[in-house]
Each structure stands twice: as C-alpha cells, then as structure tokens.
Amino acid sequence: MVEWTRAEKRTFLRQRVEARLASLLLESQEYTEALTLLSSLIKEAKASLTAARTAANAIYVPPAQQGTIDLQSGILHAEEKDYKTAYSYFFEAFEGFNALEDPKAIFCLKYMLLCKIMVNHADDVAGIISSKAGLKYVGPDVDAMKAVADAYSKRSLKYFETALRDYKAQLEEDPIVHRHLSSLYDTLWSRTSAG
C-alpha cells in the first residue's frame, strides 16, 4: 500500500497510511521500526511547515491561518527540545491569536511559559504573566504554569507534585504540556539531588 501511494504520488494518503502503520507497529511492540517511520514523518512535517511559512511570507495569509502555522511550528520545535525557537513561534502565534481574540491565544501563552521554564528561565514567567497581554489570560491555565515555574525556581519536587495534582486538567490533560512534564521532573530531580 505504501509503495502504491509513492508510485501514484499520493503524499497525504501515504503519510496517513504510514502513521497508521507506525501505530500498529507500536501496538505489536516493534519499537525500532515504528520510531524510524515516525522520525521520517516528523521530518516531512517540519519541512512542510517550513515551506508553509516561506509561502506565507510571500503572499497574504489570513492571521488565523498564520497563527496556526506558527503554533504548529512551535510544537515541532518543542518536540525537538529547541525551546528558544519554539518560544519565538509561540510568541508570534500568541500575538496573532490575541489580536483576533481567538481562544487559541491561551494555549500559545501557556506553551510560551513552558518554554521559558524548560530553558531554565522560570523567573521570566511572572513578568510575562504580569504584562498587559498576559493579564488578559489570568486563570487556571496560567496559574498552573506559574505553579510549575515557582516549583522549578525553588527546586522543590514537593511543590512540583502539588502543582501536578492541583492543576491536573491544565498540565497532564494537555498533550503538549504533558509530553514535557517528565523531562521537567527529571531535570528538577537532578537539580534538587545535586544541590
């Protein structure tokens, strides 16, 4: 099936088939093959987003669509642990969605705060939250990230675990944030045990 989609140049269909195949490989515990396949798909996704950004710079793209491109670019860079670049994309997406009063702005802000924490700049979180744009979104999502930042700044596993418990919906049920929490926990653990 995959070979047919390649021969027929049905790229989108091939990507869907390969994603499903990777899922089946994971279920059958063939992790190496699944990882190889998923790595290839992620590289293609990143290349596609880069091409979309290039095209968006050359032509007019509606702000909501540009925000979506920036948000997806930020997610991909965060997955690669390039949090500084991810922050820049999330910031661009946040500005666009904020101007449109789009509810996606809160997620972009949340991911911006996550990136600051992940690059060991947890102290910047309070400043971002207290900015004019940040104050507009004060609520459970922002409070959750502030609690994580405070725990990280204080090198406190206890506070971190409390934040995870108190803000479970905002932290563990958000797939983007959740993906980075174990890495953050490991970093915090190593910082507390070293110091």
Side-chain angles (χ1 to χ4, degrees):
M1 179 74 157
V2 173
E3 292 307 318
W4 177 83
T5 59
R6 285 186 203 282
E8 295 294 316
K9 296 183 169 112
R10 308 287 290 275
T11 305
F12 183 68
L13 179 59
R14 177 188 51 80
Q15 291 168 338
R16 289 184 57 202
V17 169
E18 286 181 341
R20 180 67 181 132
L21 176 59
S23 174
L24 292 171
L25 289 168
L26 285 171
E27 286 176 17
S28 62
Q29 298 181 351
E30 295 178 42
Y31 301 117
T32 305
E33 290 180 48
L35 185 59
T36 301
L37 194 53
L38 290 171
S39 295
S40 168
L41 287 170
I42 288 172
K43 285 179 188 169
E44 280 187 64
K46 189 172 181 185
S48 295
L49 278 169
T50 301
R53 285 193 54 77
T54 301
N57 288 332
I59 60 171
Y60 173 77
V61 175
Q65 191 171 11
Q66 183 64 51
T68 301
I69 292 169
D70 290 335
L71 176 59
Q72 293 302 317
S73 295
I75 291 169
L76 272 178
H77 282 279
E79 285 300 312
E80 294 178 347
K81 301 199 182 318
D82 181 1
Y83 295 108
K84 288 183 181 182
T85 304
Y87 177 88
S88 296
Y89 282 119
F90 291 137
F91 180 78
E92 292 294 325
F94 173 73
E95 283 191 324
F97 289 135
N98 182 45
L100 295 171
E101 298 186 4
D102 188 309
K104 291 181 194 141
I106 185 64
F107 296 105
C108 299
L109 177 59
K110 190 168 150 180
Y111 304 153
M112 286 167 52
L113 300 175
L114 174 68
C115 288
K116 284 295 186 179
I117 297 165
M118 297 304 289
V119 295
N120 203 22
H121 292 294
D123 295 336
D124 292 351
V125 168
I128 294 168
I129 292 170
S130 65
S131 70
K132 182 179 177 183
L135 288 172
K136 185 175 174 182
Y137 297 96
V138 170
D141 286 298
V142 171
D143 293 345
M145 296 313 297
K146 185 172 182 336
V148 170
D150 290 345
Y152 192 81
S153 292
K154 293 174 182 170
R155 294 182 172 196
S156 173
L157 283 173
K158 179 182 175 188
Y159 290 154
F160 187 81
E161 290 166 351
T162 300
L164 290 177
R165 185 184 65 243
D166 292 350
Y167 297 102
K168 183 175 179 148
Q170 293 77 21
L171 299 173
E172 292 187 17
E173 293 175 15
D174 180 321
I176 307 305
V177 174
H178 179 73
R179 214 175 264 113
H180 300 278
L181 287 178
S182 69
S183 171
L184 190 59
Y185 184 87
D186 292 344
T187 302
L188 185 57
W189 187 85
S190 66
R191 284 180 69 195
T192 57
S193 59

